[in-house]
Amino acid sequence: MAASYRSEDLTVHRFGRTEAAAPTLLLLHGLTDSGRCWPDAVARWQDDYRVLAWDARGHGESERFAKGQLAAGVGETHLADLEEAIEALQADGVDRPILVGHSMGAGTAAALAGRRPDLVRAVVLEDPALGNDRYPEAERGKDARRRVAEARATMANPRATKKQGKRDHPDWPKAERGPWLEAKLMTDLAMLADPVITVHTPWQEVTAAVSVPGLLVLGQRGIWTGDLRSALLGVHNDRLEIEVVPGAGHCARRDRPDSFHQLVDPWVAKQFATNP
């Protein structure tokens, strides 16, 4: 059964094992999702791990962005929040977690794994949004306007968004649909209007700086395709392993959950066994 607690401005949802020595996974969701948007993965992991899933600032039950935090940058604020959250967990006796992030959350995880590897045992990066220069500046503004328009449309007619979600993602586990829609209704519009939601560091530098074991899990039809995937594969970092999930889009764990977990679950177990 899930429980939630507040850490400063953030809400973190707790699932799974509760004993002090339990190995810990910290789940970092993507843009417009929340910590409750992992039900299928949590069901698979909760018997073996303490599973913590945060609501990033601007999402779910966590605080909205203040003007100064938007000025500092969405991604930079999320990174600072994550650093403080894990330090607080350590003060409560939680040993270094493995971070499992999707998209925006995976970008935050990767950035922390470069800045503060002492806080992190390993990282799983699901189709990560890395750095601030993957798209030209003009496209970033267009993307921000699209995000806000989509969010407003969902808030005005959530039923239509739910129907469209079923059409777009017919293979998603049923348990994922309700939390996915609910999270969209709880997203900070001021944050979505920011053209840059990642850290300010170029993605090549973020990837190269990861200094703990990392597993990049890319969707075959995700955001890293064509020349971008070739460029990502060309970043030299012996700490990172890269796998592609056939048939998956941007969210492999929902599109092809069995394939995702066949890759991720043994890798995670190995990190807890071999990386004390």
Side-chain angles (χ1 to χ4, degrees), residues 160-177:
T161 297
K162 183 177 181 179
K163 289 181 178 179
Q164 187 62 48
K166 288 182 177 180
R167 288 191 293 267
D168 292 343
H169 309 290
D171 298 327
W172 279 15
K174 186 177 180 180
E176 297 285 335
R177 299 189 183 281

Side-chain angles (χ1 to χ4, degrees), residues 20-153:
T24 301
L25 301 178
L26 177 55
L27 313 184
L28 311 175
H29 61 80
L31 187 68
T32 76
D33 272 0
S34 77
R36 297 191 183 277
C37 289
W38 301 80
D40 184 72
V42 166
R44 297 169 188 256
W45 289 331
Q46 62 187 356
D47 290 341
D48 296 318
Y49 306 111
R50 177 195 290 112
V51 182
L52 307 178
W54 84 336
D55 291 346
R57 187 180 300 274
H59 298 77
E61 299 168 29
S62 289
E63 293 297 323
R64 310 295 90 173
F65 273 80
K67 288 184 178 179
Q69 292 163 336
L70 287 173
V74 172
E76 298 295 334
T77 300
H78 282 161
L79 178 57
D81 282 343
L82 181 59
E83 186 173 353
E84 292 178 10
I86 297 179
E87 287 177 339
L89 289 172
Q90 285 190 336
D92 286 342
V94 176
D95 195 14
R96 293 173 303 145
I98 290 180
L99 306 184
V100 182
H102 171 238
S103 191
M104 175 192 76
T108 308
L112 187 73
R115 176 184 291 186
R116 291 292 307 276
D118 58 302
L119 297 179
V120 181
R121 187 180 305 270
V123 291
V124 176
L125 310 174
E126 180 190 3
D127 228 41
L130 297 165
N132 72 344
D133 59 345
R134 207 172 63 85
Y135 295 115
E137 188 170 352
E139 289 188 28
R140 295 178 216 158
K142 183 179 179 181
D143 253 7
R145 291 189 291 273
R146 174 190 55 78
R147 290 194 297 264
V148 172
E150 289 178 352
R152 291 189 185 280

Side-chain angles (χ1 to χ4, degrees), residues 25 40-46 48-49 98 100 124 215 217 253 257-272:
L25 301 178
D40 184 72
V42 166
R44 297 169 188 256
W45 289 331
Q46 62 187 356
D48 296 318
Y49 306 111
I98 290 180
V100 182
V124 176
L215 177 65
V217 184
R253 73 174 193 278
D258 289 342
S259 297
F260 175 85
H261 285 280
Q262 285 168 8
L263 289 171
V264 171
D265 293 6
W267 190 89
V268 165
K270 179 182 176 182
Q271 299 312 311
F272 280 120

Side-chain angles (χ1 to χ4, degrees), residues 237-261:
N237 186 336
D238 292 338
R239 306 291 277 172
L240 295 176
E241 303 172 40
I242 301 178
E243 299 283 355
V244 178
V245 179
H250 181 44
C251 193
R253 73 174 193 278
R254 287 165 168 159
D255 293 337
R256 298 291 186 270
D258 289 342
S259 297
F260 175 85
H261 285 280

